[in-house]
């Protein structure tokens, strides 16, 4: 009897063990994403890999004082309160701002978010005398908020930020400063080995990247550089409406479009960024969902304007813009997954303005301009463009550039492509056309975000934004641009500021400042089991809204 009882219990325990082993598979939900990046974006608080880095390792694990509203597929994404609940510029001194902080917020390590944490995080990128100062985080942060000078604690829940000049763009720029945990960093700094504090700080940041702590809706679980990053939901996230519905998010670098698409079709991943356009019919036929929405994004060539550049002739710049059949690119190579660009902003946008130069496909006009500039069928103009094979927002850079190469040949251009790794290209972008890293290129193909005035125009058009300050790669030096930037930046009335920005944009189009080609629509292919995902008019996505159906 006793033996039978033991056997019965053993059998019952075996059944329970089988059930228990099945429960995690049923209960835990996981979404595996194939990114376009060739590596996991940096995890220490200020991501690299462009805005794909912000999307996957910035906005997931961290918050900023201000953040983007990603809740709508139809309305523009605007800045809303994040770790700051409100802010105001000093009416007597427009270089000083007061930010009220959100109470009750905890970092993933359990420490408190407060004014000291804000001051510490500003110091990590701006204060060379701060022990936590990290030069490796400056390039992707300081260049995105170039007027911020310092932060000062007023009380535990209030900070004062100071800019070097009046800057109405500051609250927007602060969406790029992600707040990392000072307590977690100090935990690694104190026992770190090093000849001095600088060496110890570097070791602490390296350790922090492997065991990161922010305040975001996702927490780091496991990190294998160049292979995968696993995040889990932060059940204690301060915004209960944004506590993730999925248990685990797995991020995988997959820079090649066909490989990403094959991984989705074979079930290795549940979601891919930028699927191969020619695979869309097969993906749709097999039930995968294609999400797309026009983004504040521009796919351009940014021209060098240094001495001797072939792009210094406005006739050449205009000819290039008139020689590209953008509709043909959209309907052919990209299978509809782009919008033609006739500037940074299209008609209807408050910053569009009224440019007199109309960007369209007019090959005859382009050829006439090139002949006027001294070129023709027997004398082509050689130009070199630096681009990448993949990367954040780059869409399909190599095929698209080859399309341009063929199109511009019909307007007497000989285009040579210098194809390099995406993160190297992104670094070169901050070094400028005069740097040896340009490798003789007189144009660079790096896509850019157009969500706010600084990102969309100021960092390219203002002469003081030339490297190493920011992204005026080609060293544009146009007094009219500088005057309009100053006017917009120092205007705190929204309508008047919009008018100044519209004037700036119109002036840049009339100057053919870039070769404007496309606006991305952020295509991604996802499993039909993923429900509730909102595809906003933004480079970014809120992963908290999605769920996984059984």
């Amino acid at each position: 009897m006793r033996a039978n009882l033991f056997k019965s219990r053993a059998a019952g325990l075996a059944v329970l063990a089988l059930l228990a082993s099945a429960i995690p598979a049923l209960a835990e939900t996981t979404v595996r994403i194939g990114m376009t990046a060739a590596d996991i974006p940096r995890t220490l608080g200020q991501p690299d890999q462009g805005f794909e880095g912000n999307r996957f390792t910035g906005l997931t694990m961290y918050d900023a004082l201000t953040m983007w509203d990603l809740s709508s597929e139809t309305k523009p994404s605007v800045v809303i309160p994040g770790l700051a609940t409100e802010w105001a510029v000093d009416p007597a001194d427009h270089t000083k701002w007061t930010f009220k902080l959100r109470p009750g917020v905890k970092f993933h390590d359990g420490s408190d978010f407060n004014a000291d944490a804000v001051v510490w995080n500003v110091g990590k990128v701006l204060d060379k005398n701060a022990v936590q100062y990290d030069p490796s985080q400056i390039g992707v942060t300081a260049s995105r908020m170039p007027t911020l000078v310092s932060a000062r604690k007023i009380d535990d829940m209030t900070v004062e930020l100071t800019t070097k000049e009046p800057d109405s763009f500051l609250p927007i720029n602060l969406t790029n400063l992600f707040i990392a945990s000072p307590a977690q960093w100090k935990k690694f700094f104190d026992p770190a080995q090093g000849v001095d504090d600088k060496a110890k700080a570097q070791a602490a940041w390296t350790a922090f990247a492997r065991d990161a702590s922010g305040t975001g809706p996702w927490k780091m679980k496991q990190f294998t550089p160049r292979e995968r990053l696993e995040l889990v939901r932060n059940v204690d996230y301060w915004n209960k409406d944004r506590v993730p519905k999925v248990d685990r998010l797995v991020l995988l670098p997959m820079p090649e479009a066909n490989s990403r698409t094959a991984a989705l079709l074979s079930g290795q991943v549940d979601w891919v960024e930028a699927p191969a356009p020619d695979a869309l019919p097969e993906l749709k036929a097999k039930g995968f969902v294609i999400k797309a929405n026009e983004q504040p994004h521009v796919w351009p060539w940014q021209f060098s304007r240094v001495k001797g550049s072939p792009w210094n002739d406005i006739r050449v710049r205009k000819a290039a813009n008139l020689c590209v059949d953008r509709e043909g690119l959209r309907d052919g190579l990209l299978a509809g997954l782009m919008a033609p660009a006739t500037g940074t902003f299209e008609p209807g946008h408050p910053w569009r303005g009224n440019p007199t130069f109309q960007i369209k496909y007019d090959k005859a006009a382009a050829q006439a301009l090139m002949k006027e500039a001294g070129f023709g069928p027997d004398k082509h103009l050689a130009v070199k463009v630096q681009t990448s094979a993949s990367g954040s927002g780059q869409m399909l850079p190599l095929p698209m550039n080859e399309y341009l190469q063929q199109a511009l040949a019909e307007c007497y251009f000989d285009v040579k492509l210098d194809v390099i790794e995406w993160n190297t290209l992104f670094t070169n972008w901050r070094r400028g056309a005069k740097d040896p890293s340009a490798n003789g290129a007189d144009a660079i193909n790096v896509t850019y975000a157009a969500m706010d005035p600084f990102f969309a125009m100021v960092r390219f058009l203002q002469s003081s934004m030339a490297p190493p300050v920011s992204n005026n790669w080609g060293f544009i030096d146009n007094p009219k641009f500088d005057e309009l930037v100053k006017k917009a930046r120092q205007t705190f009335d929204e309508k008047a500021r919009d008018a100044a920005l519209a004037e700036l944009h119109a002036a840049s189009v009339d100057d053919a400042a870039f070769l404007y080609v496309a606006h991305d629509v952020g295509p991604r292919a996802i499993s039909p089991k993923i429900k509730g995902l909102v595809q906003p008019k933004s480079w970014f996505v809120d992963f908290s809204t999605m769920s996984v159906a059984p």
Side-chain angles (χ1 to χ4, degrees), residues 364-515:
Q367 290 173 336
L369 282 168
M370 289 296 284
K371 288 177 180 177
E372 188 181 320
F375 303 96
D378 301 321
K379 184 184 179 184
H380 283 208
L381 175 62
V383 296
K384 185 176 182 180
V385 183
Q386 197 166 77
T387 185
S388 64
S390 65
S392 170
Q394 292 288 88
M395 302 171 70
L396 299 179
L398 192 51
M400 290 172 73
N401 274 293
E402 289 170 344
Y403 179 94
L404 264 61
Q405 188 178 47
Q406 295 173 20
L408 292 174
E410 297 184 13
C411 297
Y412 321 131
F413 289 89
D414 280 339
V415 177
K416 182 178 181 181
L417 301 178
D418 181 21
V419 183
I420 59 178
E421 189 270 332
W422 162 239
N423 222 32
T424 303
L425 179 73
F426 196 72
T427 300
N428 292 358
W429 191 37
R430 296 192 296 269
R431 291 174 174 167
K434 297 178 182 178
D435 191 82
S437 64
N439 197 26
D442 37 51
I444 193 167
N445 169 225
V446 178
T447 56
Y448 63 89
M451 297 179 295
D452 67 77
F454 178 76
F455 270 80
M457 296 186 286
V458 172
R459 59 179 173 154
F460 307 122
L461 302 177
Q462 189 176 25
S463 60
S464 62
M465 292 294 107
V469 176
S470 196
N471 297 113
N472 181 357
W473 179 88
F475 292 85
I476 289 174
D477 187 2
N478 185 322
K480 182 176 182 180
F481 293 168
D482 289 346
E483 176 188 341
L484 290 171
V485 167
K486 182 178 180 181
K487 180 180 178 182
R489 178 172 261 154
Q490 298 188 5
T491 299
F492 289 81
D493 175 78
E494 188 173 344
K495 287 186 177 180
R497 184 180 64 193
D498 285 352
L501 291 168
E503 193 177 352
L504 174 63
H505 180 254
S508 67
V509 173
D510 287 341
D511 193 57
F514 286 1
L515 171 53

Side-chain angles (χ1 to χ4, degrees), residues 81-105:
L83 292 177
T85 57
E86 58 182 286
W87 52 89
V89 67
D90 186 335
D93 182 353
H94 284 178
T95 66
K96 296 189 182 302
W97 293 75
T98 299
F99 284 75
K100 295 287 187 180
L101 306 182
R102 190 175 299 279
V105 176

